[in-house]
Amino acid sequence: MSPYKSFQYIENLSEAVGKEVTLRGWVQNKTGKGKLQFIVLRDGTGICQCVVFKPNTSEELFNDAKSLTQESSIEVKGVVRAEERAPGGFEIDVTDLKIYCLTKDYPITPKEHGDAFLIEHRHLWLRSSRQHAIMRVRAAIVKAIRDFFDGNGFKLMDSPILTPSACEGTSTLFETKYFDLGNAYLSQSGQLYAEATAMSLGKVYTFGPVFRAEHSKTRKHLTEFWMVEPEMAFFDINDDMDLAEDLVEYIVQYTLKNCQQELKLLERDTTKLEKVRRPFHRMSYSDAVDWLVENKIPLKKKIDGKDVDVLPFPWGEDFGTVQEEAIMEQFDKPCIIHRYPSEVKAFYMKRDPNDSRVVLAMDMLGPEKAGEIIGGSQREDDIELLTQRIHNENLPLEDFQWYLDLRRFGSVPHSGFGLGLERVVKWITGAAHIREVIPFPRMIYRIVP
RNA sequence: UCCUGAGUAGCUCAGCUGGUUAGAGCAUCUGACUGUUAAUCAGAGGGUCGGGGGUUCAAGUCCCUCCUCAGGAGCCA
């Protein structure tokens, strides 16, 4: 029972059969037949059917019950009964009813609605059963991530959101005025700061919102999303990949263990998630290109505004959705692709000592068209090579002096990666669109609500 | 940014090669009903057909333009 005595929560009703309880919540749905009214009450922890039968109650109580509308907020009192016919498995016979707010014309009905309408009413859409389930899974996944790192000797570090310049130099950033110091930018990654902190604490992770002002408009993109970025001193690329596999396996298994009800409501095929066990698949970029050539997967390119298929796939080009999905179709668990051409990856990634054309980068692709859920690398720890890469990318060297200090003073091999929270929640819940897995999505043409 | 598609009742949609008063289901309101699960039955109200301009005797329908939205590319997690 709830330690807060004035009312009880629906999730605890199994302990209260035969007892009188007070429930508070919202009317999810109401049906009835003449002298009999069924109120489905939602309180955030579950749903409970409340029954009002006219001959057994006062005229006033029955009329109040009959007047209830979808999403009215109420308090009910009654004795709990186990009832197979009731959604949720329990039912209470109402002996007292208090109406907090009688809702008029609730916009989201139990019928079908379009995407645009629902997202415009996101603040109300969150009350719907699917969205409710997704938010619970999201919370569980965040907890799994924190538990995993906290339980494995990592320290949480909070990286700044306002930064003086681009950290990767590639993405477009949101810009804002910063007093007399010129422009500041909303961070697209906490990695550089995590690297600095790892030199103090050994193993750290930063977990916060990041921002990308790219004009991306797909069901996988948000302009504001949450990313967890571990960074580990003395980890090489293989340690990095092992850790990434451990983390993803832990998240999926934790969710399976703790969110059965939610996944069932979402009609997620959990047998597919059960297969997400180490070891995952691994493939070098070069082997992946060989596979694309063998299977005649072309490079899609725009030449003079026309779409052209380039065959065979040329070594050195980055993979797009077509290539990634083709590769992943053969797998039922994630696959890490590692050692990418240096030209397509960020300046801070370490050159492979065995092949100077590639860097020690790794991307983890999820099955079931989950796409890229992790991107990481071993970091360049040689100050000469790093300075050269900053030059080649035309990045302002002054802004990176503090970052170069990490290589001047006790430089060590180190690695890390970033995991996109929403991409993972989308994959695990099977949500059709990434906007469904964050409470208030920020997208290129939408900032309200 | 580019490409493609869409905008008709509160919601989801139909509306043919232009032709009388623009339709359906759901939702809402009124009434009936003791086990409903998207209840059912009977009745009622509800529209600047995204905005502007044009062609025509006549435009929801054809043309131009603008706006809004969708998801795909590029880029990425």
Side-chain angles (χ1 to χ4, degrees):
Chain A
M1 291 265 97
S2 165
Y4 307 103
K5 302 291 189 219
S6 63
F7 65 103
Q8 287 78 42
Y9 285 106
I10 291 168
E11 65 182 349
N12 300 320
L13 284 187
S14 60
E15 303 160 26
V17 174
K19 292 179 191 158
E20 181 178 78
V21 294
T22 302
L23 300 177
R24 291 173 182 166
W26 297 263
V27 176
Q28 180 164 300
N29 199 10
K30 195 195 65 164
T31 58
K33 203 169 179 186
K35 299 186 173 93
L36 190 61
Q37 295 291 319
F38 297 100
I39 302 153
V40 176
L41 186 74
R42 183 193 77 245
D43 76 347
T45 73
I47 54 170
C48 175
Q49 180 158 279
C50 308
V51 189
V52 186
F53 183 39
K54 195 174 184 181
N56 296 350
T57 60
S58 69
E59 184 89 16
E60 193 192 350
L61 197 157
F62 184 81
N63 287 338
D64 281 353
K66 207 175 173 185
S67 76
L68 289 175
T69 52
Q70 196 194 348
E71 290 305 317
S72 287
S73 46
I74 58 172
E75 175 186 281
V76 291
K77 217 172 264 185
V79 175
V80 184
R81 250 184 315 110
E83 172 59 74
E84 273 185 13
R85 289 172 289 184
F90 297 97
E91 201 167 77
I92 72 167
D93 293 307
V94 179
T95 52
D96 204 9
L97 169 69
K98 178 179 155 190
I99 299 172
Y100 289 106
C101 170
L102 194 63
T103 292
K104 289 279 280 179
D105 300 325
Y106 186 69
I108 301 177
T109 63
K111 294 285 175 179
E112 58 198 320
H113 296 285
D115 295 338
F117 179 82
L118 288 170
I119 199 68
E120 270 160 32
H121 295 83
R122 182 58 175 170
H123 50 297
L124 303 176
W125 189 23
L126 288 167
R127 302 181 189 191
S128 304
S129 59
R130 269 187 67 88
Q131 300 306 311
H132 176 259
I134 290 171
M135 287 307 130
R136 286 173 70 104
V137 174
R138 179 187 168 101
I141 289 172
V142 170
K143 181 165 163 45
I145 290 168
R146 291 191 181 282
D147 286 354
F148 176 85
F149 286 118
D150 293 344
N152 281 288
F154 283 75
K155 297 297 174 214
L156 175 69
M157 70 80 56
D158 300 309
S159 50
I161 285 168
L162 289 165
T163 59
S165 64
C167 121
E168 296 185 17
T170 48
S171 304
T172 318
L173 303 182
F174 289 104
E175 193 179 289
T176 181
K177 289 262 176 282
Y178 196 79
F179 302 112
D180 298 331
L181 299 179
N183 291 331
Y185 302 86
L186 297 187
S187 180
Q188 60 180 325
S189 163
Q191 182 204 313
L192 270 49
Y193 304 95
E195 283 187 56
T197 321
M199 301 303 133
S200 165
L201 296 162
K203 292 193 288 187
V204 301
Y205 71 103
T206 176
F207 196 172
V210 290
F211 307 87
R212 307 273 165 99
E214 296 286 352
H215 287 198
S216 296
K217 194 166 158 45
T218 80
R219 61 184 80 195
K220 287 191 208 173
H221 285 89
L222 294 165
T223 58
E224 177 184 315
F225 63 97
W226 284 67
M227 186 154 71
V228 60
E229 298 173 275
E231 192 72 31
M232 300 74 65
F234 302 107
F235 270 46
D236 66 16
I237 185 70
N238 292 320
D239 298 327
D240 203 33
M241 291 193 283
D242 285 344
L243 182 75
E245 290 192 7
D246 275 343
L247 172 65
V248 170
E249 181 186 52
Y250 185 83
I251 293 170
V252 171
Q253 297 305 321
Y254 180 96
T255 311
L256 277 172
K257 193 177 164 201
N258 294 285
C259 301
Q260 277 298 324
Q261 273 195 330
E262 289 81 1
L263 294 172
K264 193 179 171 196
L265 189 142
L266 294 166
E267 296 173 304
R268 183 66 164 94
D269 181 355
T270 50
T271 60
K272 289 186 173 162
L273 294 175
E274 275 154 18
K275 290 178 183 153
V276 181
R277 287 285 190 184
R278 286 200 69 187
F280 296 173
H281 302 284
R282 288 190 194 178
M283 203 190 275
S284 72
Y285 168 84
S286 295
D287 287 347
V289 170
D290 287 347
W291 187 90
L292 291 173
V293 171
E294 263 172 48
N295 290 276
K296 299 187 171 56
I297 310 294
L299 168 72
K300 301 265 181 193
K301 225 181 173 175
K302 260 213 171 104
I303 299 171
D304 297 331
K306 281 181 187 169
D307 293 317
V308 180
D309 287 0
V310 182
L311 264 171
F313 189 94
W315 193 99
E317 292 284 342
D318 204 359
F319 298 154
T321 315
V322 177
Q323 292 79 33
E324 288 180 356
E325 285 185 358
I327 289 167
M328 288 312 294
E329 224 166 82
Q330 56 189 317
F331 301 132
D332 53 10
K333 55 184 169 182
C335 177
I336 294 179
I337 296 177
H338 54 85
R339 293 179 171 80
Y340 282 81
S342 57
E343 286 74 23
V344 303
K345 288 294 179 183
F347 74 93
Y348 52 74
M349 297 184 176
K350 187 174 176 62
R351 190 79 40 109
D352 185 348
N354 300 317
D355 183 354
S356 62
R357 299 176 304 164
V358 300
V359 288
L360 298 174
M362 62 99 171
D363 286 353
M364 188 190 288
L365 306 177
E368 302 178 78
K369 301 197 174 176
E372 191 180 334
I373 54 178
I374 281 179
S377 67
Q378 185 168 340
R379 319 305 191 191
E380 184 55 77
D381 47 40
D382 183 289
I383 190 163
E384 298 303 329
L385 290 171
L386 186 58
T387 309
Q388 200 186 314
R389 284 299 299 271
I390 293 173
H391 265 298
N392 293 348
E393 302 273 332
N394 284 322
L395 295 169
L397 197 61
E398 321 81 69
D399 288 351
F400 290 95
Q401 283 308 322
W402 71 265
Y403 186 64
L404 291 168
D405 269 356
L406 306 179
R407 277 73 180 168
R408 286 191 186 100
F409 308 116
S411 186
V412 301
H414 63 290
S415 302
F417 61 83
L419 173 143
L421 176 66
E422 286 77 15
R423 291 260 175 103
V424 171
V425 180
K426 177 175 180 289
W427 165 42
I428 292 179
T429 57
H433 197 296
I434 200 162
R435 67 182 156 218
E436 288 191 47
V437 306
I438 185 168
F440 293 95
R442 293 294 174 251
M443 295 173 295
I444 172 167
Y445 292 126
R446 194 176 289 285
I447 198 168
V448 176

